[in-house]
C-alpha cells in the first residue's frame, strides 16, 4: 500500500478546512441530497462527501456506508486531492497504490474495487476533500457521469461557502445588535439604528435569491433522480458530447426575451419542428426557448435524432437549471459577503491606534452598500470617483466620516432628489491631496445656523433624530488626518460638504 504524500500547501489547506467549521457536525439535507444523486448517476453503491483532516478523512455526507471516518493513510481521497480533475481507479486490485490496502484486501472489509473522486476546491484553490463514488466491482465512468460528478462537486463547495457566509452573516448581525443595545447614545450607533431596516432589506435580497435557487435545485434533483442514471448511461459517446455542450451553452447564455419575443420564438420553433415530423413539438419548443437555444440550431438539432427527444430536452433543462441555480447562489453569496464586509467596517470597535492603508474609493463604495435600498427608492446617486493613491490613515474612522455625510445628505432631501459623490486628486507633486465632496439637492442649511454646524450637540433635526455629535465627530476625525472639512450651501437648492485629506 502506498499512502498519499502531503499536498505542497497542506498547512494552508488545513487552515481553510477548519475555517468552514464543518468537521464533526450533524448531517445536513443539502449535502445528503448531493451524495444520493452522485450515487444514482454513477451507479455506485457508496457515495461520500469526504473532508481530509490532518490524520483522518471525515464524511460530512454518505450513502451506502456506516462509518463516520477512516484513517487518512487508507484514504483514496487523500490521493484524489492531489489532482485537479476527477481521480478514477477502475480496479483497485490492479493498482499498486491500493491492491493491499485493508479497504481493498480485507475479506471482512469494504473490498473496494472502483473509486472516482472529484476534488472539492474552494475559491482560493485549496482542496478540502472530495465528492467520491465507490463500488465493489471494477468499472469506468462515462463522460456524462464524470461531467455530472464535477457539477455535483461544485455544488458541494457552493453549499460549504453558503454555510460559512450564513454563519458569518448571523455573527455580524449579532454583533451589530449587541453594539446597538450597549452604545445606543453614541452617534455611530444612532445612525446604525436608523439603518437597521435598510440593512435587513439588503441582507434579505441575496438570502431570498439563495433560498429560491436552492429550492429550485432540490426540485430539479428530485425529478431527475429516478431515471437520470439510466438516461445518461444510454447515451452514446457522441450524444454525450452534444448533450454536455448543450448544457454548457445554455448555462453560459445571457439571452433575455420579452414575453412577446418568447411567444414568437416558440411559434417559429413549433412550426419548424412539425415540418421535421418531430413528436411533442410544442413541449420541445418550449424547452429549447427556456434553455436559450432557439437561435442556435447547430446546438440542439443533433439531439432531435435521439430516442425520446422530449425527455432528453427535459433532462437538459433540469440539469441546466441546477447549474444556473448554483451560479445564482454564488452571485447572491458574493452580495452577502459585501454586506458582511461593510457591516464589519462600520461596526468595528477594535481600534489599534495605529495608521493603516486607506483606499478612499473602496471605503466609500463599501459604505454605500448599507444605503443601497434607500438610495434606490428615492435618490438618484451619481459617482465621480477617481482612483486615489493608497495612503496611511485610520480607515475605520473614515468610514464614519462617509457615513455621517451620506446620511445627512439623504435626510436633507425630503422627497426625491440627487446626491453626487466625487473623489479627485489635487495639489502638486510634493503636496498631493484627496478631495472628497458629497453634494445633495436638499433644503440647504439656513443662514442663521451655518456657523454652528460643526458645534458639538448642535442639530437642526427633530428631537430623537440626531444627537448633534455627527459633524463634530466628523470634523475631529478629518483633523486627526491633518485634513480639513467645509461646506457650501444655498437654501432650497442644496449643500455640498468637502473633505480634503493629505496624501
Amino acid at each position: 500500500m502506498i499512502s498519499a504524500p502531503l499536498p505542497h500547501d497542506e498547512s494552508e489547506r488545513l487552515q481553510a478546512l477548519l475555517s468552514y467549521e464543518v468537521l464533526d457536525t450533524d448531517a445536513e439535507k443539502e449535502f445528503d441530497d448531493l451524495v444520493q444523486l452522485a450515487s444514482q448517476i454513477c451507479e455506485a453503491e457508496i457515495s461520500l462527501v469526504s473532508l481530509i483532516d490532518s490524520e483522518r478523512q471525515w464524511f460530512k455526507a454518505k450513502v451506502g456506508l456506516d462509518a463516520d471516518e477512516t484513517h487518512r493513510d487508507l484514504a483514496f481521497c487523500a490521493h484524489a486531492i492531489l489532482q485537479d480533475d476527477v481521480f478514477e481507479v477502475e480496479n483497485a486490485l490492479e493498482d499498486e497504490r491500493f491492491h493491499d490496502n485493508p479497504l481493498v484486501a480485507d475479506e471482512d472489509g469494504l473490498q473496494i474495487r472502483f473509486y472516482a473522486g472529484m476534488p472539492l476546491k474552494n475559491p482560493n484553490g485549496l482542496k478540502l476533500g472530495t465528492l467520491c463514488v465507490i463500488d465493489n466491482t471494477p468499472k469506468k465512468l462515462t463522460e456524462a457521469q464524470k461531467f455530472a460528478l464535477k457539477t455535483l462537486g461544485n455544488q458541494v463547495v457552493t453549499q460549504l461557502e453558503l454555510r460559512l457566509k450564513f454563519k458569518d452573516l448571523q455573527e455580524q448581525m449579532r454583533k451589530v445588535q449587541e453594539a446597538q443595545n450597549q452604545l445606543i447614545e453614541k452617534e455611530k450607533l444612532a445612525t446604525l439604528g436608523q439603518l437597521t431596516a435598510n440593512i435587513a432589506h439588503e441582507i434579505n435580497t441575496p438570502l431570498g435569491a439563495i433560498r429560491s435557487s436552492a429550492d429550485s435545485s432540490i426540485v430539479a434533483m428530485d425529478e431527475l433522480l429516478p431515471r437520470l442514471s439510466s438516461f445518461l448511461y444510454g447515451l452514446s459517446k457522441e450524444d454525450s458530447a452534444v448533450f454536455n455542450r448543450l448544457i454548457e451553452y445554455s448555462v453560459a447564455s445571457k439571452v433575455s426575451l420579452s414575453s412577446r419575443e418568447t411567444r414568437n420564438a416558440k411559434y417559429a420553433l413549433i412550426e419548424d419542428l412539425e415540418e421535421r415530423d418531430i413528436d411533442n413539438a410544442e413541449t420541445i419548443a418550449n424547452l429549447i426557448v427556456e434553455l436559450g437555444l432557439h437561435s442556435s440550431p447547430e446546438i440542439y438539432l443533433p439531439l432531435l435524432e435521439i430516442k425520446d427527444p422530449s425527455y432528453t430536452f427535459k433532462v437538459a433543462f433540469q440539469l441546466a437549471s441546477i447549474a444556473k441555480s448554483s451560479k445564482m447562489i454564488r452571485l447572491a453569496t458574493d452580495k452577502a459577503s459585501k454586506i458582511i464586509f461593510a457591516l464589519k467596517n462600520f461596526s468595528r470597535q477594535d481600534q489599534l491606534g495605529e495608521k493603516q492603508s486607506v483606499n478612499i474609493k473602496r471605503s466609500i463604495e463599501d459604505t454605500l452598500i448599507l444605503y443601497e435600498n434607500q438610495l434606490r427608492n428615492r435618490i438618484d446617486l451619481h459617482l465621480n470617483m477617481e482612483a486615489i493613491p493608497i495612503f496611511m490613515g485610520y480607515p475605520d474612522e473614515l468610514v464614519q466620516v462617509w457615513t455621517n455625510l451620506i446620511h445627512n445628505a439623504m435626510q436633507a432631501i425630503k422627497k426625491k432628489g440627487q446626491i453626487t459623490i466625487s473623489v479627485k486628486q489635487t495639489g502638486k507633486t510634493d503636496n498631493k491631496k484627496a478631495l472628497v465632496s458629497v453634494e445633495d439637492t436638499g433644503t440647504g442649511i439656513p443662514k442663521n445656523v451655518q456657523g454652528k454646524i460643526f458645534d458639538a450637540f448642535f442639530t437642526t433635526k427633530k428631537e430623537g433624530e440626531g444627537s448633534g455629535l455627527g459633524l463634530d465627530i466628523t470634523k475631529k476625525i478629518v483633523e486627526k488626518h491633518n485634513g480639513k472639512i467645509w461646506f457650501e450651501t444655498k437654501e432650497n437648492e442644496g449643500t455640498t460638504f468637502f473633505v480634503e485629506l493629505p496624501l
Side-chain angles (χ1 to χ4, degrees):
M1 183 182 75
I2 302 176
S3 298
L6 295 179
H8 66 87
D9 55 0
E10 178 68 357
S11 178
E12 295 83 357
R13 190 193 69 78
L14 287 173
Q15 187 175 357
L17 175 60
L18 292 175
S19 72
Y20 286 88
E21 298 182 355
V22 68
L23 292 174
D24 299 310
T25 57
D26 294 335
E28 296 176 57
K29 186 177 186 300
E30 292 80 1
F31 297 96
D32 292 341
D33 285 344
L34 292 172
V35 293
Q36 182 69 39
L37 188 56
S39 181
Q40 291 276 347
I41 292 173
C42 298
E43 299 180 297
E45 291 293 326
I46 298 172
S47 180
L48 310 166
V49 171
S50 173
L51 302 176
I52 306 300
D53 203 351
S54 58
E55 296 183 358
R56 61 171 177 160
Q57 62 171 346
W58 177 79
F59 309 132
K60 174 59 183 171
K62 58 189 177 179
V63 62
L65 185 68
D66 292 329
D68 294 324
E69 61 183 56
T70 66
H71 199 281
R72 181 171 175 171
D73 288 345
L74 304 178
F76 283 54
C77 296
H79 292 265
I81 63 170
L82 300 175
Q83 313 299 319
D84 289 319
D85 207 341
V86 174
F87 174 70
E88 188 174 19
V89 178
E90 296 177 24
N91 189 344
L93 283 176
E94 297 177 358
D95 193 310
E96 64 175 349
R97 293 168 295 186
F98 307 110
H99 70 93
D100 57 348
N101 186 312
L103 299 177
V104 176
D106 284 3
E107 291 184 1
D108 57 347
L110 290 178
Q111 296 187 352
I112 294 174
R113 297 295 178 265
F114 167 78
Y115 170 93
M118 176 60 192
L120 304 176
K121 186 161 56 176
N122 80 349
N124 294 323
L126 298 168
K127 295 160 189 171
L128 312 173
T130 73
L131 171 64
C132 67
V133 289
I134 297 170
D135 212 327
N136 56 12
T137 57
K139 65 171 67 180
K140 179 178 175 62
L141 293 182
T142 66
E143 289 303 312
Q145 288 172 326
K146 284 185 180 180
F147 175 82
L149 192 62
K150 291 179 186 179
T151 301
L152 293 174
N154 290 336
Q155 282 277 344
V156 172
V157 176
T158 297
Q159 289 296 334
L160 286 171
E161 285 289 308
L162 179 59
R163 188 178 182 278
L164 182 63
K165 299 303 180 186
F166 264 124
K167 189 167 185 178
D168 200 356
L169 190 59
Q170 290 171 344
E171 176 64 12
Q172 291 309 312
M173 289 300 291
R174 185 193 65 79
K175 288 181 178 179
V176 169
Q177 187 63 50
E178 183 177 277
Q180 187 175 8
N181 291 338
Q182 294 176 350
L183 306 171
I184 192 66
E185 295 182 1
K186 291 191 176 181
E187 175 70 16
K188 188 174 182 181
L189 268 298
T191 302
L192 186 59
Q194 296 171 32
L195 272 173
T196 299
N198 183 52
I199 293 172
H201 181 279
E202 294 303 328
I203 290 172
N204 284 333
T205 298
L207 293 189
I210 289 168
R211 282 193 293 266
S212 175
S213 298
D215 289 344
S216 297
S217 293
I218 292 171
V219 170
M221 286 192 290
D222 287 343
E223 292 181 9
L224 279 173
L225 275 175
R227 295 175 58 188
L228 183 59
S229 59
S230 59
F231 167 79
L232 293 174
Y233 190 75
L235 292 178
S236 67
K237 185 175 181 180
E238 293 76 15
D239 290 340
S240 289
V242 173
F243 185 77
N244 290 344
R245 183 182 175 213
L246 182 146
I247 294 173
E248 290 170 358
Y249 188 92
S250 175
V251 172
S253 174
K254 297 182 179 179
V255 175
S256 179
L257 301 179
S258 66
S259 298
R260 184 177 180 181
E261 290 171 332
T262 299
R263 287 195 302 271
N264 291 340
K266 287 180 179 178
Y267 293 150
L269 262 175
I270 291 171
E271 184 178 349
D272 179 60
L273 294 175
E274 287 177 343
E275 288 178 0
R276 297 173 185 272
D277 292 326
I278 301 297
D279 293 334
N280 299 317
E282 183 175 352
T283 298
I284 295 174
N286 287 336
L287 289 168
I288 290 173
V289 172
E290 292 295 333
L291 284 163
L293 301 172
H294 55 282
S295 58
S296 305
E298 74 281 2
I299 300 292
Y300 67 78
L301 283 177
L303 290 180
L304 295 175
E305 305 299 325
I306 295 178
K307 182 182 178 182
D308 194 0
S310 62
Y311 182 69
T312 299
F313 281 100
K314 181 179 180 182
V315 172
F317 174 72
Q318 289 171 324
L319 285 175
S321 296
I322 291 172
K324 288 178 180 178
S325 292
S326 176
K327 188 175 181 180
M328 181 61 68
I329 288 172
R330 286 183 180 274
L331 291 174
T333 300
D334 288 343
K335 174 67 174 178
S337 296
K338 290 179 180 179
I339 297 171
I340 291 169
F341 184 76
L343 283 171
K344 283 180 178 178
N345 281 346
F346 189 88
S347 60
R348 188 180 298 165
Q349 299 177 31
D350 52 338
Q351 302 291 345
L352 300 177
E354 298 177 359
K355 288 187 175 182
Q356 302 174 50
S357 298
V358 175
N359 183 326
I360 285 184
K361 183 172 179 290
R362 184 180 300 169
S363 177
I364 293 174
E365 289 172 342
D366 290 340
T367 303
L368 286 170
I369 289 173
L370 301 178
Y371 291 97
E372 279 188 7
N373 185 48
Q374 290 171 287
L375 290 168
R376 183 167 54 243
N377 287 339
R378 66 183 185 90
I379 293 173
D380 188 14
L381 177 66
H382 292 265
L383 300 177
N384 303 311
M385 299 198 291
E386 298 177 6
I388 301 297
I390 303 296
F391 66 96
M392 300 304 291
Y394 304 95
D396 298 338
E397 296 183 36
L398 286 175
V399 166
Q400 191 170 351
V401 170
W402 317 138
T403 300
N404 286 335
L405 295 182
I406 294 169
H407 188 75
N408 287 346
M410 290 174 61
Q411 289 200 323
I413 299 172
K414 299 307 179 185
K415 293 183 179 179
K416 292 188 176 182
Q418 177 177 304
I419 292 177
T420 302
I421 301 177
S422 301
V423 179
K424 64 180 180 179
Q425 182 174 306
T426 63
K428 299 179 181 180
T429 305
D430 58 347
N431 190 29
K432 292 181 181 179
K433 297 176 181 178
L435 180 63
V436 179
S437 63
V438 180
E439 177 185 359
D440 67 65
T441 58
T443 56
I445 302 172
K447 195 169 186 178
N448 63 322
V449 301
Q450 290 178 10
K452 305 176 183 178
I453 285 297
F454 293 108
D455 291 351
F457 301 108
F458 176 80
T459 179
T460 60
K461 299 172 185 175
K462 295 179 182 179
E463 186 176 352
E465 289 187 1
S467 64
L469 291 172
L471 287 175
D472 174 59
I473 293 172
T474 296
K475 185 171 184 286
K476 286 180 170 60
I477 293 172
V478 172
E479 291 174 346
K480 183 177 179 179
H481 286 80
N482 298 316
K484 62 181 181 178
I485 181 171
W486 70 97
F487 65 89
E488 296 175 359
T489 186
K490 289 186 179 180
E491 289 192 60
N492 300 316
E493 291 187 24
T495 302
T496 304
F497 276 88
F498 298 90
V499 173
E500 186 180 74
L501 301 170
L503 297 176

